[in-house]
Amino acid sequence: MTTTIFTNGRIYTGDPQHLFVQALVVRDGLVHDLGSGADMLSQWGTGAQVIDLQGHTATPGLIDSHLHLGWQGLTFMQLNLSKATSKDEMLMLIKQRAEETGPEEWMEGFGWDENLFVNGGGIPTIEELDRVAPHCPIMLSRICGHANLVNSKALERIGYHPEMAVPAGGVVVCDPDTGRPTGMLLETASNLVKPHIPKPSYDQLKTSLRNSIQYALQHGLTGAHTEDLRELGGLAQTYRLYDELINQEELALRCNLLVYYPHMHELREQQMYAGYGNSHVQIGAVKIFADGALGRRTAYLSAPYADDPTTSGYPVHEQEELTELVRQARALSMPIAVHTIGDKALEMVLDSLDQFAPAAYRDRLIHTQIVRPDLLERLQHPNRIADIQPRFLAGDFPWVIDRVGEERIAFSYIWKTMIHKGIICAGGSDTPVEPIDPLLGIHAAVTRKAPGETHGGYMPEEKLTMQEAISLFTTSGAKVTHEDHLKGTLSRGKFADMTVYSNDLFAMDPDELLSTKIVMTVIGGKVCYTR
């Protein structure tokens, strides 16, 4: 039996019986004992491997409750527009990549965000895109993933015409005067284009996913709840990729795989179910979209947007269809994980959920950014998780105040209120929509501001304590799948998953989170990354 002792650290266990210890003893991947360094070495040191934490602080392993590792891996091969701070800069980056792209080759990009354009200028028009990339088809995903820009060459490649049927829930935005496409595709309208873009080979997908998993380990993640079937080629291939990389190559990251709802039939064909797999790779919930995003006003609100009274956004599915999708999931004994940002979308999802008995795993309401007081009460359910992304606050404020209005912002991004109401909140990044770094999410939860801002925080009464913020990414990440008896705290008999930091998270100014580095990532007692 292999014994490893991690000693000379300040280890925050998350377990109130022994909140901080100096040393942790690991046997067969589990926490065997914990206490002072002298005691642990005296009792268990003979023949043990000893790892010196050199005084660094550690916590239970960080779990990202909602991200897209497959998409993140593919972005490493695409044009990154996330740093563009003006329309001109964005167009310059597109032009540079176009000059390296052949006439028959698709150019893909991601990450543009018009809210970051310091000098205004708006979103590039199709004419401007045609000017910088006249010869090759392009498709550029907005940072939220709910809007895409294409040029005329792309529309030509798909054979676009005004009578073309658009997938339900999608919009090809057209100029109201000319009726011609502006180049903007909202929501599922991107599905008109995606089938025409050559798919990466299996080996390319495997390489990109390997890079993404290693990227997660470098940022201290020991667990990830990831939705990838659209990027990685369906359920069977996605599971195979993760099995080969994590179980066979022993990359170790504990991955819970969400199943996009059009692939539910594959669950039955593959005889898979929630929890299928092992402690490192397992099937999670059925992923559904109820609405879009606030950035392009596609999130579904119960009243019109404050800065555009002509729209309240719209649902991806009508109520009957949404209820039917939940029914199909429950017929497979599956929980659901629903993207829901607007309050009307959340109401619709809860109306559907209320018609069914709970599944083995908890249902999760992903994002839950706008939560009316009456909906707060309905979220107080032991089998429901509010799957929040604290880092969204840093990207959305202050423009989101104008978008939803002063009255509605009072019940938006209200994580302290939700936790105090007894609602289980788990923390994620939604990477690559936001950076994968969980310390940025913890910083946003604790400070309620973006890096570099010096004010007292947006809605400061909603600030979380450091322990509450860390809990989002540890104990609550385990509760999503009813696995808090296995992980989430460093307690005897649980997985020895641990994240080690360069600074003491509990004895510093929260802004120091921004300069804190991951020193070590430990999964099942195995050091999977060290700086």
Side-chain angles (χ1 to χ4, degrees):
M1 183 180 293
T2 303
T3 300
T4 303
I5 302 175
F6 293 87
T7 189
N8 189 26
R10 186 171 190 240
I11 303 172
Y12 170 75
T13 67
D15 187 334
Q17 292 186 13
H18 33 62
L19 207 53
F20 286 93
V21 297
Q22 292 177 328
L24 194 78
V25 180
V26 180
R27 280 191 171 177
D28 292 340
L30 304 178
V31 177
H32 182 68
D33 203 355
L34 63 173
S36 73
D39 284 350
M40 296 302 101
L41 289 169
S42 172
Q43 292 182 57
W44 310 108
T46 303
Q49 177 190 18
V50 178
I51 297 177
D52 188 349
L53 295 178
Q54 300 179 355
H56 292 304
T57 295
T59 68
L62 298 177
I63 302 167
D64 190 312
S65 64
H66 181 67
L67 45 51
H68 308 271
L69 287 174
W71 181 15
Q72 175 68 67
L74 292 174
T75 64
F76 295 143
M77 304 189 297
Q78 297 176 357
L79 173 61
N80 187 344
L81 298 167
S82 63
K83 303 300 182 185
T85 58
S86 68
K87 179 168 73 169
D88 288 344
E89 184 180 358
M90 177 175 168
L91 289 168
M92 179 191 70
L93 292 169
I94 297 168
K95 184 175 187 295
Q96 290 173 349
R97 178 62 69 93
E99 291 170 351
E100 304 168 1
T101 305
E104 300 302 316
E105 186 180 352
W106 279 85
M107 181 210 301
E108 292 184 83
F110 80 101
W112 59 270
D113 184 354
E114 74 281 8
N115 294 304
L116 300 180
F117 294 172
V118 292
N119 297 320
I123 298 169
T125 64
I126 195 167
E127 292 80 13
E128 290 170 324
L129 295 173
D130 290 344
R131 188 162 60 249
V132 296
H135 65 286
C136 62
I138 66 175
M139 185 168 180
L140 312 171
S141 175
R142 191 180 184 277
I143 188 66
C144 62
H146 293 269
N148 288 269
L149 285 173
V150 295
N151 63 352
S152 295
K153 209 70 175 175
L155 294 177
E156 176 187 315
R157 186 67 63 87
I158 71 172
Y160 175 79
H161 56 84
E163 287 74 39
M164 179 176 276
V166 179
V171 177
V172 176
V173 180
C174 293
D175 186 295
D177 297 323
T178 66
R180 297 178 57 195
T182 65
M184 178 75 74
L185 307 180
L186 300 179
E187 302 298 341
T188 55
S190 63
N191 292 335
L192 294 172
V193 179
K194 289 177 180 178
H196 296 266
I197 301 176
K199 291 180 171 54
S201 68
Y202 186 84
D203 286 343
Q204 287 174 318
L205 288 174
K206 191 171 182 179
T207 297
S208 69
L209 184 58
R210 182 187 292 111
N211 292 338
S212 188
I213 291 169
Q214 291 171 338
Y215 190 60
L217 294 171
Q218 291 163 15
H219 286 87
L221 292 180
T222 63
H225 297 237
T226 180
E227 191 243 311
D228 299 316
L229 270 62
R230 289 171 290 171
E231 288 79 22
L232 299 184
L235 178 59
Q237 181 162 289
T238 297
Y239 192 89
R240 176 187 168 193
L241 283 162
Y242 276 96
D243 180 54
E244 290 177 356
L245 289 168
I246 291 175
N247 290 326
Q248 296 177 35
E249 290 190 17
E250 298 184 350
L251 292 183
L253 184 69
R254 301 188 194 277
C255 290
N256 183 276
L257 310 181
L258 272 62
V259 179
Y260 188 42
Y261 75 91
H263 298 267
M264 275 195 280
H265 66 94
E266 290 188 67
L267 285 166
R268 184 176 285 108
E269 293 165 3
Q270 299 293 324
Q271 296 185 321
M272 293 180 175
Y273 48 85
Y276 176 93
N278 60 23
S279 61
H280 287 273
V281 180
Q282 64 176 234
I283 297 298
V286 171
K287 173 69 181 293
I288 303 170
F289 285 87
D291 66 345
L294 293 168
R296 298 309 309 154
R297 301 181 186 85
T298 56
Y300 191 30
L301 309 182
S302 55
Y305 282 86
D307 60 354
D308 185 357
T310 66
T311 182
S312 300
Y314 50 86
V316 173
H317 304 282
E318 296 301 330
Q319 188 73 61
E320 278 190 24
E321 184 181 6
L322 182 62
T323 302
E324 173 59 18
L325 291 176
V326 179
R327 187 198 67 75
Q328 291 176 23
R330 286 297 198 264
L332 296 168
S333 300
M334 292 290 291
I336 60 167
V338 190
H339 168 114
T340 168
I341 287 179
D343 58 324
K344 186 60 178 177
L346 178 57
E347 181 181 354
M348 289 178 65
V349 176
L350 293 173
D351 284 349
S352 292
L353 274 178
D354 284 348
Q355 301 180 44
F356 301 92
Y361 279 7
R362 290 181 166 100
D363 296 306
R364 59 179 89 178
L365 294 306
I366 301 172
H367 308 315
T368 51
Q369 285 174 248
I370 303 177
V371 187
R372 298 193 317 261
D374 60 304
L375 300 177
L376 271 175
E377 306 302 320
R378 298 177 66 185
L379 278 173
Q380 293 176 38
H381 189 292
N383 270 76
R384 291 173 185 171
I385 292 273
D387 199 338
I388 65 173
Q389 289 66 48
R391 173 67 182 178
F392 277 12
L393 179 137
D396 293 357
F397 280 79
W399 60 261
V400 72
I401 301 173
D402 293 332
R403 186 128 314 163
V404 304
E406 293 285 350
E407 181 179 346
R408 200 157 34 199
I409 202 68
F411 46 84
S412 304
Y413 308 76
I414 50 170
W415 311 316
K416 189 82 164 186
T417 295
M418 292 165 74
I419 290 171
H420 282 189
K421 288 277 188 181
I423 296 167
I424 306 170
C425 295
S429 64
D430 203 15
T431 197
V433 174
E434 291 290 343
I436 199 170
D437 187 351
L439 294 178
L440 293 177
I442 292 171
H443 177 267
V446 172
T447 68
R448 304 280 299 188
K449 63 183 180 182
E453 293 181 336
T454 57
H455 55 79
Y458 300 105
M459 303 164 62
E461 68 278 5
E462 294 292 339
K463 289 181 180 179
L464 301 188
T465 66
M466 186 65 74
Q467 287 191 19
E468 287 171 334
I470 290 172
S471 179
L472 294 176
F473 293 88
T474 54
T475 54
S476 293
K479 287 179 180 178
V480 174
T481 50
H482 287 292
E483 291 182 291
D484 37 321
H485 64 294
L486 296 174
K487 55 189 176 183
T489 65
L490 292 168
S491 307
R492 291 178 181 86
K494 291 190 179 184
F495 295 140
D497 298 350
M498 188 165 58
T499 306
V500 186
Y501 313 86
S502 61
N503 297 339
D504 187 343
L505 276 58
F506 302 94
M508 66 181 189
D509 184 292
D511 280 336
E512 291 182 63
L513 283 162
L514 303 174
S515 59
T516 298
K517 306 298 182 185
I518 300 301
V519 173
M520 190 182 294
T521 304
V522 180
I523 302 177
K526 172 189 172 184
V527 177
C528 297
Y529 167 77
T530 185
R531 185 166 176 260

